[in-house]
Amino acid sequence: KQEVTQIPAALSVPEGENLVLNCSFTDSAIYNLQWFRQDPGKGLTSLLLIQSSQREQTSGRLNASLDKSSGRSTLYIAASQPGDSATYLCGGSGAGSYQLTFGKGTKLSVIP
Amino acid sequence: DGGITQSPKYLFRKEGQNVTLSCEQNLNHDAMYWYRQDPGQGLRLIYYSQIVNDFQKGDIAEGYSVSREKKESFPLTVTSAQKNPTAFYLCASSLLTGSYNSPLHFGNGTRLTVT
């Protein structure tokens, strides 16, 4: 059964710092990987989707990459801002599946 | 604007009562999903449906039931058989593209408290 680990579980950084969040899958055959943001008491907001033919995606200050040989993904946030404070979750699916398996998330706090 | 609407936002029930959570989407998505989120745990899949009048169990379906009578709607019933029903419930939807590369969209969740 696929399991997803997100490291670190929590992270506190000063405003302006660049940071990296990590996500790893026990089964490295990840076909579709998505990074989400969750604010307290809210649903998940999709940030980036890495499709099967891709290795990375960028949106503004965010960059996500997927190493399919190891089943590891990173989310890079440049020049962090207090508004980036939230929990970040990764979810992945294997070939032939639409169902995502999720990690427990990384809670990010950006200190002004 | 298109999106997923979950209602109510907060729901309180007495133990032993069944309760139904609503999920409606106007994104014209084929597939719909129910996830449960507990503190310190990842999202766990309860049920999913890829087509009207058909649905499949996820990892933790015991004590739950669903229906998919319309493409836009996927209500979840939490029955009295669910041992630990208090949780945050999230509904999601996606297109079925055939290439399995379809982003998942989420509603804002329903927080259910059973006492």
Side-chain angles (χ1 to χ4, degrees), chain B residues 7 14 23 27 29 38 60 74 95 99 101 103 105-106 109 115:
Chain B
S7 61
K14 295 290 188 184
C23 178
L27 300 167
H29 283 176
D38 295 281
I60 55 165
F74 191 41
L95 285 170
S99 62
N101 291 323
H105 297 259
F106 280 85
T115 57

Side-chain angles (χ1 to χ4, degrees), chain A residues 1 31-32 34 36 38 41-44 46 49-53 89 93 95-100 102-104, chain B residues 9 33 35 37 40-43 45 48 50 88 90 95-104 106-108 111:
Chain A
K1 181 185 174 185
Y31 202 75
N32 174 342
Q34 208 168 345
F36 299 86
Q38 185 176 31
K42 301 286 189 182
L44 279 65
S46 180
L49 167 67
I50 301 178
Q51 299 182 353
S52 57
S53 59
L89 296 98
S93 63
S97 173
Y98 289 100
Q99 290 80 47
L100 297 184
F102 287 87
K104 296 180 181 181
Chain B
K9 185 173 182 179
Y33 311 80
Y35 286 89
Q37 187 176 35
Q41 297 203 37
L43 275 70
L45 182 63
Y48 65 98
Q50 297 185 335
F88 189 49
L90 289 159
L95 285 170
L96 297 182
T97 61
S99 62
Y100 303 100
N101 291 323
S102 181
L104 206 57
F106 280 85
N108 274 328
R111 186 166 299 280

Side-chain angles (χ1 to χ4, degrees), chain A residues 54-71:
Chain A
Q54 301 170 327
R55 292 291 184 266
E56 67 177 316
Q57 276 288 342
T58 298
S59 176
R61 295 182 292 107
L62 305 180
N63 174 273
S65 64
L66 175 61
D67 180 347
K68 296 194 175 188
S69 63
S70 65

Side-chain angles (χ1 to χ4, degrees), chain B residues 33-85:
Chain B
Y33 311 80
W34 275 105
Y35 286 89
R36 169 180 173 143
Q37 187 176 35
D38 295 281
Q41 297 203 37
L43 275 70
R44 292 182 289 169
L45 182 63
I46 304 172
Y47 268 99
Y48 65 98
S49 167
Q50 297 185 335
I51 194 171
V52 172
N53 292 323
D54 189 41
F55 45 82
Q56 286 76 42
K57 293 181 180 180
D59 299 323
I60 55 165
E62 185 176 351
Y64 299 97
S65 66
V66 293
S67 63
R68 187 89 185 276
E69 296 178 1
K70 299 186 299 182
K71 186 176 183 179
E72 303 79 20
S73 178
F74 191 41
L76 173 74
T77 297
V78 184
T79 75
S80 56
Q82 168 51 233
K83 292 183 174 20
N84 296 297

Side-chain angles (χ1 to χ4, degrees), chain B residues 10-29:
Chain B
Y10 299 98
L11 193 51
F12 298 89
R13 279 294 182 269
K14 295 290 188 184
E15 193 174 323
Q17 294 179 335
N18 292 352
V19 60
T20 298
L21 283 60
S22 170
C23 178
E24 304 276 335
Q25 55 99 358
N26 60 4
L27 300 167
N28 200 31
H29 283 176

